Amino acid sequence: MPRFSVIVPCFKVQGFLRACLDSVLGQSYADLEVIAVDDRSPDGCGAILDEYAARDSRVTVLHLPENVGLGRARNAGMPHATGDYLLFLDSDDTLTPGALKAVADRLDETADPDVLVFDYARTYWWGGTRRNVLAHVLAESGPGTFTAADRPEILDLLMVVWNKVYRRDFVTEHGFAFPPGYYEDTPWTFPVLLSAGRIAALDRICVNYRQRRQGNILSTTSRKHFDVHDQYERVFAFVEARPELWVWRPYLHRKMGEHCLDILAKPDRLPPADKAEFFRRTAELFRAHRPEGAEVTGETAVLTGGYRAYLVRRQAARAAREARRRAGRLRGTASARARRGWTALHGLRPLDPDLVVYSASSHRGMRGDPAAVYRAAEVIAPRLRGVWVVRDEETAAGLPEGTEYVVVGSRRYGEVTARATFFVNDVNWPGDLAKRPGAVHIHTHQCTPLKYLGADLLDRPGARLGFDVPRMLRRADRWDHSLVASRYAELVWERAYPCHFASARTGSPRNDVLVRSGALRGADFRLRHGIPEDHTVVLYAPTRRDYQRGGHVDRPDLARFAAGLGAGHTLVVRLHPTLAAGPARGLGLAELARRGVVVDATDEPDTAEVLLAADALVTDYSSIMFDYATLDRPIVLLADDHATFAASRGTYFDVTAEPPGHVAYTERDLVRLFASGSWRDADAAALRAAFRARFCAYEDGRAAERVVRTLLLGEPMPDAPAARVPRPAMGDGVLTPSP
């Protein structure tokens, strides 16, 4: 008996069917069967299903004699299922890699609940991906099981059948089945969840929910959308027959009204001539099932009136939204004028020679190189007044107590930036910041670059998507000093940003702590995350991919990699900052972190603390390798898609030819390197030494001091490399363009 029976109904999806089946049969967890139901599809679906059944014994195909619709096609498949759990997958959707293994592990952890709810992501036909906006409901559901009464918010999730697995014996015992018609998931999902004695949640994206440009049944304009009324009648009948569920009547009454009003409001659902009738039918249903004494408030209150009143209310709501939009635009214009006035007024006053304005990571708080310079200035030059620019008050709350700050765009921001002599930032300042004569801009950068940047992106249309390179360079024209960590970095920045700055051979202030604390092992980080002192910590820090919309590639398999490291090891994962808020963590990282399989360090504000805690770094093409190299600890490069990455983004040299350590070209190679111990052998040390000599030449632990003394105070540092040098001719160094 298999663990999972995956039921796949098929109708007119021949273009998507192979991807669906491959996503199931290619799962790392193979204890499954597929019940594929050909719902008398007029295209090639039947032949495709037979082809898969011929080569994989786990596939059973049912050819229905007539088309019965999605719900009843699922019903046809259920009697043939023998698995412990049922999973219904629509044939144009796909399972994400590793999904069934994650589901199986969660089922084991929760001792086989009646229902397990998991997450999904919408994948759009144009390539975009968006995670379920209510994913936090799953994350907050806790490690154990619950009922709908315990956590009613579980019913706020999308009421579909395919974001759950169901214990087959539970389904059989209650006789759950799908009715005919549109919205057939509604009279299945509500009864199932309300009846389940034990529900578990999995905070992981297991299904890619395809958003087709055309062909989506529910986006088809048709009177069949009237079926929703019959489906809710079935839900109400189910509840009425079970007194113990009567407590849910007010909730379901409101939910029904909201659902029907949502259908009515969508422009592509109902024929215009039928909308009045749909409203009346909804209002009748709403009145008929209104619980005695139930208050009607909010959106559904419109159902107590007529259709004309509904239209007037919608028109009024649209007018109100437009008025708010215009008022907001006017307020913004007036506020901008006022700020410009205050800025101009303060611009008539002389610059304050002791005022230094700092910003980091687009005003995200005190971090990186600017933070290191700020802290050094507090010690070396306490007369200097440092003011931080932050994006909002929430960010300001994370600053150390007593830190002076201004919120970007505020009047105080205009006043401070109009008077400051020094500006220290690791990204470009906004275009509306006017540089006054005598002001000095110090650009720290955020990395030593491997990937093409700036002007070098002009011949990489995919990589510069969304970037206005000429505007970027106009802003870079304000730089006076560009901090560099090596001769290599100096040449790259001057090629990528052909502007008027001078390169400052200071080193990277953010790395001073790494150079000075190289023997430490990030005790605070380890303690905070419960990592045993004697564990070997392996940090995996991938970069984003420009050839992949969204930037995330889901490899290696983190659970398998963590297991391959063996006892006495802890795998720490830190995603690229641009991926932190997207679906990447929902594809397994969040759930693995919850279970203690890995540690998720993506949100750690202090990168240096994470690096200090790691005994080894595994990365692909992330610039974090240049910072970590200052620690002189082992680095392993995972370069399974190097040719594709280099062709799409462009790299300044072939990192696989001059790596900071051993190179793995497959996940198996990666695991083998750690299993054999060769990740830290003599060859790895030799590669690392050559890498550090080329790319970390100015990293001596005094970079922040050097910036403060030479660039802010104008003092000499005779024992250090020159802080300011003329721009060299481009022929003075060698850069290797990508193929």
Side-chain angles (χ1 to χ4, degrees), residues 630-641:
T630 63
L631 288 169
D632 195 21
R633 298 179 191 173
I635 301 173
V636 174
L637 200 70
L638 177 60
D640 56 341
D641 63 343

Side-chain angles (χ1 to χ4, degrees), residues 356-420:
V356 187
V357 175
Y358 296 89
S359 180
S361 302
S362 299
H363 318 311
R364 284 181 169 85
M366 189 183 296
R367 57 180 65 186
D369 291 310
V373 175
Y374 172 81
R375 295 189 185 103
E378 285 188 305
V379 176
I380 299 169
R383 68 177 175 82
L384 294 178
R385 173 190 169 202
V387 180
W388 280 86
V389 178
V390 295
R391 63 201 311 184
D392 49 36
E393 290 293 344
E394 183 180 353
T395 305
L399 296 173
E401 186 176 354
T403 303
E404 188 175 357
Y405 71 91
V406 293
V407 176
V408 66
S410 66
R411 190 179 78 178
R412 283 287 298 147
Y413 168 79
E415 294 171 0
V416 167
T417 55
R419 295 289 315 282

